């Protein structure tokens, strides 16, 4: 008697494929909820000023609104996570007294929560979100309670409008802050091309969301090539006119969708 071969209906494989795709998240990682804790900061500040270590001068102008957070070092990764989006929910099962049930908030990582090396919530290897106050109270009850357990996962960033390019620096040192980036939101690589240089020039992450090059590109129209951490690459051709000056911000028509 020969081997028995089980025939699986095609509809089963179709269902399995959809189910598998549903669990794939940002960067090809399994999209599951992870445990962390959250606090809030900036109670006496405008939420728009909490750009901090990523270099966003104003989170509203950068396209992120007020739902932002400073993240601990294990998440911040030296600024690589600047612009990334997370969905958070308060862990109601762990803390029903202070958590709002079923409430979620999507926020952008815009700052770094530094460790104090004395068992603080942002000390490694803890995964922690120090949230803006408006974002925090979307998932937790308003009270004197300063910390709650949360569940979080990476999600795609849904932005309004195009990518923002803010030009900084001087003479032959040009620095560009990239903000309002869709898709995974966090950049892996950046290149710039002047209208006269004709070739792509690799940029280096200077700090946070600021990338720099040592080529004088003044009086040239600028194009950019950006690669996200999930390897998606987008061209932004002639997004900056040759009349640009340092301090200006330009927005593209295209976006990572």
């Amino acid at each position: 008697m020969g081997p028995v071969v089980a025939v699986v209906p095609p509809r089963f494989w179709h269902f399995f494929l959809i189910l598998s795709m549903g669990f794939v998240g940002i960067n090809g990682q399994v999209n599951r909820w992870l445990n962390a804790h959250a606090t809030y900061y900036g109670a006496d500040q405008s939420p728009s000023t909490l750009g901090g270590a990523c270099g966003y001068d104003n989170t509203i102008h950068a396209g992120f609104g007020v739902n932002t957070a400073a993240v601990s070092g294990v998440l911040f990764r030296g600024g690589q996570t600047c612009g990334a989006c997370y969905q958070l929910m308060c862990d109601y099962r762990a803390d029903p007294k202070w958590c709002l049930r079923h409430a979620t908030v999507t926020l952008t990582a815009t700052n770094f929560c530094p460790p104090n090396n004395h068992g603080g919530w942002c000390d490694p290897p803890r995964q922690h979100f120090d949230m803006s106050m408006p974002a925090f109270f979307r998932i937790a009850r308003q009270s004197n309670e300063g910390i709650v357990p949360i569940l979080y996962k990476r999600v795609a960033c849904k932005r309004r409008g195009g990518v923002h390019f803010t030009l900084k620096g001087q003479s032959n040192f040009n620095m560009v802050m990239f903000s309002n980036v869709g898709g995974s939101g966090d950049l892996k690589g950046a290149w710039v091309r002047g209208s006269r240089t004709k070739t792509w020039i690799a940029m280096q992450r200077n700090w946070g969301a600021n990338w720099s090059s040592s080529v004088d590109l003044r009086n040239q129209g600028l194009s950019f090539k950006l690669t996200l951490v999930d390897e998606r690459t987008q061209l932004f051709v002639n997004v900056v006119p040759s009349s640009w000056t340092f301090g200006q911000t330009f927005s593209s028509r295209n976006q990572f969708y």
Side-chain angles (χ1 to χ4, degrees), residues 95-147:
D95 193 347
K97 181 178 180 180
W98 300 114
C99 289
L100 295 176
R101 195 170 192 173
H102 303 311
T104 63
V105 64
T106 298
L107 50 74
T108 302
T110 60
N111 205 348
F112 172 53
C113 182
N116 64 18
N117 300 317
H118 296 289
W121 287 107
C122 289
D123 284 1
R126 287 178 169 169
Q127 302 179 63
H128 188 82
F129 293 80
D130 200 14
M131 304 167 64
S132 68
M133 189 169 67
F136 184 84
F137 287 124
R138 288 188 61 181
I139 61 172
R141 302 183 192 280
Q142 295 197 34
S143 67
N144 292 326
E145 184 72 6
I147 185 165

Side-chain angles (χ1 to χ4, degrees), residues 11-23:
R11 284 181 298 179
F12 173 83
W13 291 113
H14 183 255
F15 169 78
F16 180 78
L17 177 61
I18 294 176
L19 185 65
S20 300
M21 291 175 64
F23 284 97

Side-chain angles (χ1 to χ4, degrees), residues 54-203:
C54 288
Y56 304 121
D57 299 326
N58 183 300
T59 62
I60 293 178
H61 294 166
F64 306 137
V66 297
N67 291 334
T68 62
V71 296
S72 58
V74 68
L75 295 171
F76 191 69
R77 295 183 293 123
Q80 294 181 37
T81 306
C82 289
C85 294
Y86 297 86
Q87 186 177 37
L88 276 61
M89 71 165 64
C90 201
D91 191 347
Y92 184 83
R93 289 187 178 182
D95 193 347
K97 181 178 180 180
W98 300 114
C99 289
L100 295 176
R101 195 170 192 173
H102 303 311
T104 63
V105 64
T106 298
L107 50 74
T108 302
T110 60
N111 205 348
F112 172 53
C113 182
N116 64 18
N117 300 317
H118 296 289
W121 287 107
C122 289
D123 284 1
R126 287 178 169 169
Q127 302 179 63
H128 188 82
F129 293 80
D130 200 14
M131 304 167 64
S132 68
M133 189 169 67
F136 184 84
F137 287 124
R138 288 188 61 181
I139 61 172
R141 302 183 192 280
Q142 295 197 34
S143 67
N144 292 326
E145 184 72 6
I147 185 165
V148 293
I150 64 166
L151 301 172
Y152 80 93
K153 62 181 177 179
R154 282 291 305 272
V155 294
C157 299
K158 298 179 180 179
R159 307 298 190 197
R160 292 184 178 181
V163 175
H164 297 175
F165 304 82
T166 301
L167 305 175
K168 304 179 179 181
Q170 56 185 356
S171 62
N172 64 340
F173 174 76
N174 62 84
M175 188 163 66
V176 182
M177 182 184 72
F178 303 107
S179 61
N180 202 48
V181 179
S184 70
D186 42 358
L187 294 179
K188 179 181 180 180
W191 294 260
V192 60
R193 184 179 67 191
S195 54
R196 294 198 305 270
T197 58
K198 302 298 184 182
T199 59
W200 289 108
I201 301 167
M203 305 181 74

Side-chain angles (χ1 to χ4, degrees), residues 202-222:
M203 305 181 74
Q204 293 76 41
R205 187 189 302 276
N206 192 284
W207 63 281
N210 295 282
W211 293 68
S212 62
S213 70
S214 57
V215 178
D216 190 350
L217 296 172
R218 289 175 296 176
N219 302 313
Q220 296 188 58
L222 303 180

